[in-house]
Amino acid sequence: SGGTDTQDLDRNRFLATLSGPAFNRLYLIFCGMYEYNRLDTPTVGYGGNNFGTGSKPFSFIGDVYLLSCNANCRIAKNINSTLGYQVTGSLGNNRNILNKVVAGLEYDINPSASIEAKYAFFDFLDKRSVNGIDGGFNDYYAHGISFAFKKKFP
């Protein structure tokens, strides 16, 4: 923390991960994160950012949390499936929530090479109040597809 005439930024991140086999062919990964983010700028001027007004004109609160769960399941000798969900929430001045769902398959061509296909769905919910309008200002959803060739080198 600085004095009364200096800008003060506090950012701390806490992260926890738990992973392991749930059943014979199922592997689970759980992850949680919280970031404490505060910017205190001592000034009496008007802040020009409608999306970042804090307790003072140029101050900012940008706390963020993330929760995710991923499951990998070997459904055949050379086929692996993936399913995952993640929610990311921005608290404070930029209030929004991002939901992400991913599903995919990986086929092992041989012990050192595989091909993979994944589908992702994103749902972004804007919870900010801008110029007297509550939330929904920038809501969107999106779809994504990815393909990959993986090669392990000795």
Side-chain angles (χ1 to χ4, degrees):
S1 293
T4 58
D5 293 340
T6 60
Q7 190 175 58
D8 183 25
L9 172 64
D10 292 317
R11 179 177 277 175
N12 300 292
R13 183 174 294 162
F14 307 95
L15 174 69
T17 302
L18 177 65
S19 63
F23 300 105
N24 189 22
R25 296 179 179 201
L26 180 65
Y27 192 84
L28 297 176
I29 303 168
F30 297 96
C31 182
M33 184 273 297
Y34 186 84
E35 181 174 287
Y36 175 89
N37 185 357
R38 299 285 193 281
L39 176 64
D40 181 23
T41 306
T43 183
V44 293
Y46 172 73
N49 183 349
N50 287 329
F51 299 116
T53 56
S55 58
K56 298 175 187 165
F58 289 92
S59 294
F60 180 75
I61 298 173
D63 293 7
V64 176
Y65 70 87
L66 179 145
L67 300 170
S68 70
C69 177
N70 293 295
N72 295 306
C73 183
R74 176 83 45 193
I75 56 178
K77 183 178 178 182
N78 56 350
I79 299 175
N80 190 46
S81 64
T82 301
L83 182 63
Y85 172 74
Q86 175 180 313
V87 60
T88 305
S90 180
L91 310 170
N93 301 113
N94 287 327
R95 293 183 319 275
N96 52 60
I97 297 173
L98 174 65
N99 292 288
K100 175 179 141 182
V101 177
V102 177
L105 291 173
E106 183 174 2
Y107 176 75
D108 296 331
I109 299 167
N110 58 47
S112 65
S114 64
I115 55 174
E116 178 182 73
K118 284 188 178 180
Y119 166 78
F121 174 77
F122 302 89
D123 183 22
F124 181 82
L125 303 170
D126 188 356
K127 301 291 187 181
R128 298 176 289 184
S129 176
V130 180
N131 296 329
I133 300 170
D134 289 333
F137 185 67
N138 284 318
D139 288 358
Y140 71 88
Y141 64 90
H143 303 270
I145 298 174
S146 66
F147 300 96
F149 173 75
K150 296 180 180 181
K151 176 72 176 158
K152 297 177 189 173
F153 297 98

